[in-house]
Amino acid sequence: MFRQEPDPREPSAMGESLSTWTPSCNGSVRVELSGHRTTSDSGALLLREALDSSGVIEALGDNLVDARHPLRIRHSLTSQIRTLVLQRAMGWIDLSDTDMLRRDPLWQLACSDARGVTPLAQERPSQATLSRLLTCLGHNDNIDVVHEGLLRLVLWRLTSLKNGERPKQLTLDIDGLPIEVHGHQGGSAYHGLYGTRIYSPLVASLAETGDMVGGLLREGNAGPAENADTWIPHLVTRLNESTGAQVRVRIDAGFTDNDTLEALEERDIEYLGRLRSHKGLQKLAAPYLKRPRGRPPEQPREWCHDLEYQAGSWPAPRRVVLVVQERPDDLLLHAFFLVTNLGKFDWPPEKVLALYRKRGSAEAHMGEVKSALDVHLSSTDRGASTVQVQDVMARNEVSLLLSLYAYQVLHGLRCLLVRQTRQGWSLSRLREQVLKVAATLKLHARRITVHLGDAADKWWPALLKGLPKLTALG
């Protein structure tokens, strides 16, 4: 299909010479390796601008503990964190990808702490260096700082486009996010439903705004609600302290066990969640599962009943909302239950149901995290039999959190673009149409000029107009 033309100017590798070629569709086209300073990832500069605006990297640098000898440091913790977050946001997911990008001049500029033309002469961190970064961030002194950094990104995202106004109410969605594990990682387990080894982390998000608030890595065989009774109240407290907002929790049936509900009630945290159906609930619902008089409707309809119910493991009755659904083609009525401690006066049953149904948005955002960021975990010291399971879990938790950092930076640009263009944007579309833009870098008189490809003309003006509105938190 291609006519090969040897080029004696090109160096040889393994006995073969690099060659130019001409596609058979057009003999006037000649393709060759130019060696110019070019890149296809110019959008990393936009992501760097957004990341700097949040102030999160500076805050991490002020609070992280770096045990390395100062005279032996070649890459600061902040530049390494910036490298991982920006690369993952641009679709370079693996640690080894930094080696593939080692000669890309734009990545040297986007990730470095240095100013001027100095970054172009600096080496980029290697895969081994970034692997050691995960170990460092996984230490007890640092992992809480990484968690706090994610909260800072959320707060920046929520306030930067609203003239600094902080939200008054937030609904926190908790869900599991099974993540595939590459290799036999400590704490992972084979799961028959997914047909692979997994971890079972908990992820907290805000469905109404699309923000990812927190992540907790758990072993692959962890039960749905394991650690939820301690982690959720702690996260609610931190979110309340950071934003000043009243925070309520929305959970699925896997988290409505008595321990979790009691933990929320003890701290006066409002919640609502779905209950798994069982004989006790079915008996409670039976008197209400009667089709109304008249001809069956042509369209589906539903109605709610406000009830009280006490399960065998519950110390006292709780408010339960029975939702009955009638479908034209079904002979039987369908029903499900919601449990909540929301007040009846401010939250009638129909309003409770409407609030619960917004969980669908949370699940969609969780799907974006998995699809756009291709989250998978394989952070371990291969071959080191002395590595503790807790250490491997800590490294992988940091890796998960940095992926959520990348999501938040992308989401910040996405929301800005939605506001400027009045169009809907997925993270994948944002990356492919807006961020993956070719550019050529030219160096002259200690000035670096980035010449963007034509693809930037459509969306970059809108983003550049809105970027000054992204202000760092104090």
Side-chain angles (χ1 to χ4, degrees):
M1 294 295 294
F2 300 106
R3 179 159 51 88
Q4 302 266 339
E5 297 182 9
D7 190 344
R9 298 174 299 172
E10 297 293 348
S12 61
M14 297 182 66
E16 297 183 4
S17 299
L18 295 176
S19 60
T20 61
W21 52 268
T22 299
S24 58
C25 64
N26 191 336
S28 298
V29 177
R30 178 185 174 92
V31 180
E32 62 181 17
L33 181 65
S34 65
H36 294 160
R37 295 178 181 269
T38 60
T39 181
S40 61
D41 288 336
S42 57
L45 286 179
L46 287 177
L47 293 171
R48 167 70 186 267
E49 188 75 11
L51 193 59
D52 286 351
S53 296
S54 72
V56 66
I57 299 297
E58 182 180 354
L60 289 173
D62 291 339
N63 292 282
L64 289 173
V65 176
D66 190 350
R68 297 176 296 173
H69 192 286
L71 298 180
R72 297 180 179 178
I73 295 177
R74 299 179 61 185
H75 303 284
S76 67
L77 294 183
T78 54
S79 68
Q80 294 179 60
I81 294 172
R82 192 182 294 118
T83 296
L84 279 182
V85 172
L86 295 184
Q87 286 185 183
R88 292 185 182 190
M90 289 296 295
W92 300 96
I93 306 300
D94 295 327
L95 294 182
S96 60
D97 289 336
T98 190
D99 292 334
M100 293 189 61
L101 301 172
R102 66 187 184 277
R103 295 182 180 177
D104 192 312
L106 191 132
W107 280 108
Q108 291 173 303
L109 295 175
C111 298
S112 175
D113 291 329
R115 301 284 183 136
V117 299
T118 303
L120 296 180
Q122 292 178 330
E123 293 185 2
R124 303 199 66 226
S126 65
Q127 178 181 356
T129 299
L130 296 179
S131 180
R132 289 190 292 270
L133 170 70
L134 296 181
T135 299
C136 173
L137 297 182
H139 292 160
N140 291 335
D141 294 335
N142 289 330
I143 195 165
D144 288 340
V145 178
V146 181
H147 280 280
E148 290 295 317
L150 182 58
L151 276 177
R152 184 183 181 93
L153 275 174
V154 171
L155 182 57
W156 161 76
R157 221 290 306 163
L158 290 174
T159 60
S160 62
L161 298 181
K162 294 185 178 181
N163 299 320
E165 179 183 351
R166 300 197 177 198
K168 296 180 180 179
Q169 290 188 336
L170 293 171
T171 302
L172 189 67
D173 289 276
I174 308 297
D175 213 338
L177 183 69
I179 294 180
E180 181 181 357
V181 170
H182 290 182
H184 289 262
Q185 307 296 311
S188 66
Y190 181 83
H191 198 292
L193 178 62
Y194 303 102
T196 186
R197 297 185 68 87
I198 66 166
Y199 284 124
S200 298
L202 294 178
V203 175
S205 64
L206 304 175
E208 287 81 355
T209 65
D211 295 281
M212 294 292 152
V213 179
L216 176 70
L217 193 66
R218 303 182 303 171
E219 296 185 353
N221 57 4
E226 190 169 323
N227 303 123
D229 58 334
T230 55
W231 185 65
I232 297 176
H234 171 74
L235 191 58
V236 170
T237 300
R238 290 297 301 117
L239 191 58
N240 177 266
E241 293 172 349
S242 300
T243 65
Q246 179 185 1
V247 183
R248 66 177 66 93
V249 175
R250 183 167 45 203
I251 47 182
D252 207 350
F255 303 96
T256 51
D257 62 305
N258 184 65
D259 290 343
T260 303
L261 299 184
E262 274 195 336
L264 297 175
E265 292 164 350
E266 288 173 358
R267 294 163 178 80
D268 295 323
I269 299 172
E270 294 181 335
Y271 65 81
L272 73 157
R274 186 162 178 165
L275 290 173
R276 287 196 175 101
S277 180
H278 55 77
K279 290 183 178 180
L281 288 174
Q282 293 169 5
K283 183 178 179 181
L284 180 66
Y288 304 95
L289 298 182
K290 297 180 181 179
R291 192 181 298 276
R293 292 181 179 180
R295 183 172 297 179
E298 295 181 359
Q299 299 296 328
R301 60 181 177 179
E302 66 183 12
W303 53 93
C304 303
H305 299 279
D306 220 335
L307 308 172
E308 281 195 349
Y309 176 72
Q310 182 175 358
S313 60
W314 294 0
R318 290 187 169 104
R319 182 188 178 192
V320 169
V321 174
L322 168 63
V323 182
V324 183
Q325 298 174 322
E326 183 181 25
R327 301 168 186 169
D329 298 332
D330 290 347
L331 295 176
L332 301 177
L333 299 177
H334 298 264
F336 64 90
F337 287 86
L338 303 176
V339 60
T340 183
N341 62 352
L342 294 169
K344 294 183 179 180
F345 180 78
D346 294 324
W347 291 92
E350 292 76 13
K351 191 175 178 181
V352 171
L353 175 60
L355 180 62
Y356 178 77
R357 282 196 165 137
K358 293 181 180 179
R359 264 190 61 82
S361 299
E363 293 170 354
H365 294 310
M366 295 273 282
E368 270 199 314
V369 170
K370 293 196 70 172
S371 62
L373 295 172
D374 187 25
V375 179
H376 58 266
L377 301 175
S378 58
S379 299
T380 188
D381 294 324
R382 299 180 184 277
S385 59
T386 59
V387 175
Q388 299 293 321
V389 171
Q390 294 85 349
D391 296 336
V392 176
M393 293 281 289
R395 288 164 54 87
N396 277 304
E397 182 162 292
V398 169
S399 184
L400 170 63
L401 290 171
L402 292 181
S403 292
L404 297 182
Y405 275 48
Y407 171 92
Q408 278 300 119
V409 178
L410 283 170
H411 185 55
L413 279 187
R414 186 244 302 271
C415 293
L416 177 60
L417 198 58
V418 168
R419 170 171 290 198
Q420 296 296 108
T421 65
R422 300 183 184 277
Q423 296 184 20
W425 287 85
S426 68
L427 295 188
S428 297
R429 183 187 176 207
L430 170 68
R431 180 190 292 156
E432 297 302 324
Q433 295 192 18
V434 180
L435 301 179
K436 288 287 186 179
V437 174
T440 301
L441 279 71
K442 292 187 177 180
L443 177 63
H444 178 70
R446 299 192 63 79
R447 288 279 185 177
I448 303 172
T449 303
V450 180
H451 296 275
L452 297 176
D454 290 341
D457 291 344
K458 189 171 184 180
W459 305 119
W460 278 54
L463 274 176
L464 293 173
K465 182 179 179 180
L467 276 174
K469 299 178 182 178
L470 298 175
T471 56
L473 297 172

